[in-house]
Amino acid sequence: MDGRDLVRSVKLVGSRQGLRTVRSAWRRARTDARALPARGPERARVPGTVVDAEPGPGGGTVRFARSELRIRVAVGGAVFWGWDGAEPLPSYALPDEVPEADPRAVLEPDKDGGWQVVSERLTVAVSRHGAVELRTPGGVVLRRELPPRWWEPVAGGPARWVQRSELPADARFFGLGGRASGPRLGDGVYTLWNTDPGGRFGPGDDPLYLTMPVQMVVSDAGTHLAFHDNPWAGRVTLREGEEGAGSGHDRPGASEVRMEGGPLRCWVVAGTPARVLQGWTALTGAPAVPPSWALGPQHARWGFGSEREVRRVAAGYRERGLPLSGLHLDIDHFDGHRVFTVDRERFPDLPGLAKELREDGVRLVSIVDPAVTATPGDPVFDSGAAVGAAGAFVRDARGRAVRGEVWPGECVYPDFTDPQVRTWWGGWYEERLAQGFSGVWHDMNEPVSFAAFGGTTLPRSARHVLEGRGGDHREAHNVYGLAMARAGYEGLARLRPAERPFLFSRSGWAGMQRYGGTWSGDVATGWPGLRASLALVLGLGLCGVPYSGPDVGGFDGSPSPELYLRWYQLGAYLPLFRTHAAIDAGRREPWEFGPLVLEGARAVLRERERLRPYWTTLARLAWLTGSPYVRPLWWSTPGDRLLRECGDAFLLGEALLVAPVLEPGVSRRPVRLPPGRWYDTVSGAVYEGPGRVEVEAPLTRVPVLARAGAVLPVRGADGALELEVWAPVRGRTGGGSVVRDPGDGWEPVVVERYASRWSEGRVVVERDGEGTAVDLPVRVRGV
């Protein structure tokens, strides 16, 4: 849903809603001008020279003439540092606890008057002027943070700051949340302010709905993740380095983080990519595991319009033998666009419809927007006004509820940074469950006010509880969607404690994986939008959000049959597989694009269902290890510089390499292979990596290669679980993990590990390290 630039456009001016929008925008600007006075004169400050140091748990405190630096190495290897008394908590990115300090990490004097903390995986060296250098155990520099600089208003107020970093000349940048230009982030400026781009976006648009100050950096020196734990508005400027030719000097890579306020604190996790994501997950929380049905194909449209149309679409899938797991209802099923309501004329028996669909294996999913109509008599508005002493809604500096223009008209916004409000809001999901919905998707939660005209935000002076600390929207904006996701997830878990909640959210922040996933938002229909879809999923996975996917087909226009099928093929190999479109963008059912597209869609749907046990395994492994389902080609070999440049193919777990077609008129495409032997899963062709090969890519299928030796769980012809084994190279072994589907509750998980090898002229599969017989059918391929 969301193609909403149309509503915020100047075309609205002249209508009643348009006049309210303009009036609200003017009111917002006036409020900020009054409540956020100009910063006035500022003093610049740097740390100065070192004065002394004091050891502490996992490191200690280094004091400078005008600042102090706290260093703390956690058990597991994550390194924290904070300036001017900044501590790990409170933080929206971290759960309520932080890892214990590593008692082996000790602060000790270093050369030239500096100090250092030596840990198992990193050495943190602090210069006498406040530079922070991160080195591997072998002494290789991963990252060098130059002394920071602050600008403090003379009259008082939040200090803005800048932190500049130097990186190895060969370093490549990834992450920063959802970026359409990725997955590798080139030279440029990236804004940290969650923003609705207004109905459509492509690779050149920035920022988008979900920004995070999380950098994944890959270089010959090693891989590390740097997280500047600060939700304020900011920007990150990246510049790749350049290696000197011959005896010339290298130009290091550079990162500059600028924030308009808030603490200057940072976490760094280093190691292999798998170890980095495991450490990040240990720090910020394990990804929520979607219920098993949510790993299947799902269908949405803004504009179903009625129960009859929903039944027609579900019947279309069923009659054509196309699997379908979920149908998503957009705002058109609400009564007057008001959240937690149902239009009884068009949906007279929504619980009955949900029951009927569920008997066919299809779940209903409901959109939920945060904006609440500011109309006395509306049950949500009235109950929110009674929450606590001041009510549930975001207020301005004078204590009045902030109002904006959204779909229901004039609206107020719950303050999800208040624990009382999260509990109240989570209770309203009982209404959604009573209507028969099995999950929710959060939309418009940057948050959006049409009055912002591109800013998609509330007044920056709006007041928030912020867990009791108090503050304004400058600090709360980027975590608003994250806090809403927490409210929804915890509410669903309370209401149905025996089931894992299904929730995904358009906006969020670091740590949002604890409460579910996300999707692309309003990606533009076109080949650039298709490429951006893959970039978003890969980048978010490297920020710790493994469950995501795009609007298949694009949101805002009518794709050609070729574009639609290529998008459908890509979506079938991404975690959240969902078609979706705007109300005026046409249908997205596969049979609407002709018989050739229908057959291609049927083939890839069947393969998605055949691989469902593999998807279940990937979801559980993401929860256990933090490793995303979808991974860049360099995941296992980050030292391969050529693979770092590749953004048009990806690994699905350890076993499969997917090479989607992202351009029109393609029947063959080049693929850069990681090391090892790879099999084309359809033709059986064999390729040897590392290297570049040409693979067949007819319109009817997407190229998928399997790693030699891989053992992966699949559904057999009878629907039962079996092992598909791709023959290892002779003289070598392979393997894979299997997690059997325990259901949609909180059942304990058992990870089974299998090994493959050649023995006496045949491929043998056995339980790795247990010597027990394999109790599953085994099918060997690639012999």
Side-chain angles (χ1 to χ4, degrees), residues 46 125 137 151 158 164 243 291 364 426 437 442 469-470 518 533 535 680 689 697 721 723-724 758 774:
V46 294
W151 288 269
R164 297 184 175 94
E243 292 181 299
L364 277 185
F437 290 108
H442 287 174
R469 303 189 310 278
T518 184
S533 296
D680 187 305
L721 180 65
L723 298 181
E724 181 171 273
W758 282 94
V774 175

Side-chain angles (χ1 to χ4, degrees), residues 312-543:
R312 187 195 69 82
V313 171
Y317 276 89
R318 183 175 62 253
E319 291 163 3
R320 292 168 176 85
L322 305 177
L324 181 66
S325 292
L327 278 168
H328 298 212
L329 301 191
D330 213 312
I331 56 169
D332 50 295
H333 88 278
F334 287 147
D335 181 8
H337 295 158
R338 293 178 298 119
V339 69
F340 302 123
T341 65
V342 176
D343 185 330
R344 297 297 179 185
E345 290 187 8
R346 292 183 294 166
F347 293 87
D349 184 15
L350 196 51
L353 173 65
K355 182 176 183 293
E356 173 187 323
L357 293 173
R358 187 160 186 155
E359 289 171 353
D360 285 334
V362 180
R363 267 64 166 199
L364 277 185
V365 177
S366 171
I367 189 173
V368 173
D369 289 355
V372 175
T373 181
T375 305
D378 177 81
V380 184
F381 178 77
D382 289 348
S383 68
V387 172
F393 305 115
V394 176
R395 297 187 171 269
D396 63 18
R398 296 184 175 184
R400 301 171 302 184
V402 172
R403 301 195 175 201
E405 194 71 22
V406 200
W407 295 112
E410 192 170 53
C411 291
V412 290
Y413 300 81
D415 183 3
F416 297 114
T417 70
D418 184 341
Q420 290 185 92
V421 174
R422 288 198 296 268
T423 300
W424 161 75
W425 184 263
W428 271 100
Y429 288 75
E430 184 173 10
E431 183 274 340
R432 295 288 85 185
L433 297 177
Q435 299 296 342
F437 290 108
S438 298
V440 297
W441 52 296
H442 287 174
D443 205 349
M444 307 289 284
N445 59 340
E446 289 70 37
V448 170
S449 170
F450 297 152
F453 281 117
T456 62
T457 182
L458 306 181
R460 297 196 178 205
S461 59
R463 303 297 300 174
H464 292 262
V465 171
L466 289 166
E467 315 307 318
R469 303 189 310 278
D472 60 42
H473 196 65
R474 293 174 296 176
E475 180 179 357
H477 174 82
N478 282 338
V479 298
Y480 188 88
L482 169 70
M484 181 185 180
R486 178 178 179 180
Y489 185 89
E490 292 178 347
L492 290 169
R494 285 194 305 270
L495 292 166
R496 288 202 177 161
E499 296 182 14
R500 299 194 304 275
F502 177 55
L503 183 151
F504 61 101
S505 173
R506 192 170 78 172
S507 184
W509 202 62
M512 68 175 294
Q513 73 276 359
R514 299 191 297 267
Y515 313 118
T518 184
W519 92 103
S520 66
D522 302 340
V523 62
T525 298
W527 293 95
L530 172 60
R531 185 175 289 270
S533 296
L534 176 56
L536 284 160
V537 175
L538 281 166
L540 287 163
L542 294 175
C543 293

Side-chain angles (χ1 to χ4, degrees), residues 161 215 249 271 304 312 321 350 429:
W161 53 263
Q215 297 179 25
H249 293 292
F304 273 132
R312 187 195 69 82
L350 196 51
Y429 288 75

Side-chain angles (χ1 to χ4, degrees), residues 70-307:
R70 165 78 188 280
I71 302 169
R72 185 178 188 272
V73 179
V75 172
V79 174
F80 170 84
W81 69 81
W83 288 92
D84 291 345
E87 296 285 345
L89 293 177
S91 168
Y92 277 98
L94 278 58
D96 294 334
E97 297 181 357
V98 295
E100 294 182 4
D102 186 346
R104 299 170 298 175
V106 179
L107 182 68
E108 58 189 26
D110 195 14
K111 59 185 179 181
D112 300 326
W115 293 81
Q116 69 174 7
V117 178
V118 180
S119 68
E120 180 182 3
R121 298 180 187 173
L122 282 175
T123 294
V124 186
V126 183
S127 78
R128 61 192 299 266
H129 293 290
V132 179
E133 198 168 83
L134 298 171
R135 306 172 189 152
T136 68
V140 179
V141 177
L142 284 176
R143 187 182 191 96
R144 186 169 190 267
E145 306 279 355
L146 302 177
R149 180 181 291 266
W150 295 265
W151 288 269
E152 300 167 332
V154 173
R160 57 191 180 95
W161 53 263
V162 61
Q163 175 69 74
R164 297 184 175 94
S165 311
E166 293 180 349
L167 290 304
D170 67 298
R172 295 294 180 262
F173 300 96
F174 302 85
L176 294 182
R179 304 287 169 172
S181 59
R184 171 189 161 195
L185 302 177
D187 295 358
V189 179
Y190 301 89
T191 303
L192 298 171
W193 188 255
N194 293 347
T195 304
D196 176 1
R200 68 194 309 270
F201 70 85
D205 292 306
D206 185 273
L208 299 179
Y209 314 94
L210 207 169
T211 68
M212 298 183 197
V214 179
Q215 297 179 25
M216 174 77 87
V217 183
V218 185
S219 69
D220 288 353
T223 302
H224 73 273
L225 180 149
F227 168 50
H228 290 86
D229 190 355
N230 183 325
W232 281 62
R235 67 179 189 267
V236 179
T237 303
L238 301 178
R239 186 194 68 194
E240 293 182 350
E242 184 176 322
E243 292 181 299
S247 59
H249 293 292
D250 289 349
R251 176 172 64 84
S255 166
E256 178 186 276
V257 179
R258 288 182 177 267
M259 290 290 185
E260 295 304 311
L264 174 43
R265 57 185 180 180
C266 186
W267 285 92
V268 171
V269 185
T272 64
R275 178 169 282 185
V276 167
L277 264 296
Q278 186 171 29
W280 176 244
T281 296
L283 186 65
T284 60
V289 180
S292 299
W293 62 265
L295 295 172
Q298 302 174 57
H299 187 91
R301 193 202 312 154
W302 180 19
F304 273 132
S306 68
E307 288 185 10

